[in-house]
Amino acid sequence: MGYFSLNGLKFYPYGNTSNSISICDAAFEGETPLSLLITREPMLGGDLSAERDIKSRLYATMEVQSRVPENLVKFYDGYPTSAIDGNHMTRWAMYANTPLAQKTRDLVYPTLRKAIEGVSAHEAANMLLNWVQTGFVYEYDDKVWGHDRAFFAEESLYYPYCDCEDRSILFSRLVRDLLGLDVALIYYPGHLATAVCFNDDVAGDAMLIDSRKFIVCDPTYIGAPVGTQMPGLEYEKVLSIILSR
């Protein structure tokens, strides 16, 4: 969604706009900027989408029948992107920090919890990683939408295609909800992945973020286990942001 810049602030149009528009920048007493952070699930009601079967190629027990609230998908379809102080990492974090719809959690999480029951956090992360890597079809935003577009977690469970940022947002949500571990989004120029802070020592490609060791987990590098970084990226230019629980 587009916006208008006035005096250093961004104003997002609500509803349809015509080709000709006039803007009044008169101030109103007590007005404050609106935060676009979503800290609680929007309670929009309505029906759930058609059932979608999503399964891992490697782990037979990781097969989920998913449904998402259709009104929520419609709401997210027109939700404006935003960032704090122009930092793209905060833009992606706003999607990743939004809680997953409870109705979707009730359908998806029991199967995933049962599949990872009794295994280490390392192995559970591997299973969740492979489910995201192989259960979804990758496609570029430009080809599908005609422009860059990040998904909320429900949108990846709804639409037939998703890309690296969408997979990273979804995987980060799963790890925080199901394993209770801290996750960071990591951005290499042109590619978004995640890194997980394990409580135990886990080997593999890692990076220090706020003096803590985060192990790289790439939901787009199909078949790559926890601790494997995609080759050919500009590692020295990585940016990161730790997500909220």
Side-chain angles (χ1 to χ4, degrees):
M1 179 181 290
Y3 56 85
F4 303 97
S5 292
L6 296 173
N7 300 323
L9 298 176
K10 296 178 181 178
F11 290 81
Y12 295 84
Y14 184 78
N16 295 325
T17 57
S18 64
N19 293 329
S20 177
I21 187 170
S22 298
I23 298 176
C24 174
D25 62 353
F28 294 88
E29 184 178 354
E31 68 178 11
T32 59
L34 172 69
S35 172
L36 292 174
L37 287 170
I38 303 175
T39 58
R40 293 183 295 176
E41 176 190 348
M43 305 307 290
L44 300 175
D47 297 329
L48 293 176
S49 63
E51 190 172 85
R52 180 181 180 187
D53 187 63
I54 307 170
K55 57 185 177 181
S56 162
R57 295 179 194 168
L58 185 60
Y59 300 99
T61 57
M62 302 284 284
E63 182 171 1
V64 170
Q65 282 69 49
S66 172
R67 301 175 73 189
V68 301
E70 289 189 330
N71 283 348
L72 187 61
V73 172
K74 293 175 183 177
F75 173 69
Y76 286 155
D77 182 53
Y79 202 76
T81 61
S82 62
I84 298 173
D85 296 329
N87 181 350
H88 272 319
M89 300 306 295
T90 64
R91 167 182 177 262
W92 289 313
M94 288 184 181
Y95 292 92
N97 286 334
T98 299
L100 190 69
Q102 187 61 52
K103 288 183 178 179
T104 300
R105 291 162 63 102
D106 291 343
L107 288 168
V108 172
Y109 282 7
T111 301
L112 295 180
R113 280 199 178 97
K114 184 176 181 180
I116 63 177
E117 185 178 7
V119 305
S120 67
H122 180 191
E123 181 59 20
N126 264 323
M127 296 172 74
L128 293 172
L129 186 62
N130 188 267
W131 184 71
V132 177
Q133 287 172 343
T134 62
F136 298 83
V137 179
Y138 182 93
E139 191 53 86
Y140 292 104
D141 280 343
D142 286 348
K143 183 175 179 180
V144 178
W145 303 101
H147 56 85
D148 181 59
R149 172 175 175 167
F151 280 169
F152 292 93
E154 291 88 350
E155 293 181 289
S156 290
L157 296 169
Y158 178 82
Y159 292 113
Y161 307 106
C162 56
D163 66 2
C164 64
E165 59 192 14
D166 310 322
R167 290 163 177 249
S168 296
I169 289 165
L170 175 60
F171 177 72
S172 76
R173 186 74 272 161
L174 298 177
V175 171
R176 285 173 291 163
D177 288 350
L178 297 174
L179 303 183
L181 298 175
D182 285 336
V183 184
L185 295 179
I186 52 175
Y187 175 71
Y188 314 84
H191 182 61
L192 192 72
T194 69
V196 177
C197 184
F198 290 93
N199 295 324
D200 301 319
D201 187 33
V202 173
D205 295 323
M207 56 188 63
L208 287 178
I209 306 174
D210 288 351
S211 301
R212 289 192 290 160
K213 182 181 179 182
F214 282 74
I215 305 297
V216 173
C217 300
D218 195 330
T220 306
Y221 191 10
I222 296 177
V226 166
T228 305
Q229 202 163 223
M230 187 181 290
L233 301 175
E234 297 181 79
Y235 306 135
E236 70 281 358
K237 296 183 179 180
V238 169
L239 301 175
S240 64
I241 186 169
I242 298 175
L243 301 172
S244 67
R245 288 279 191 96

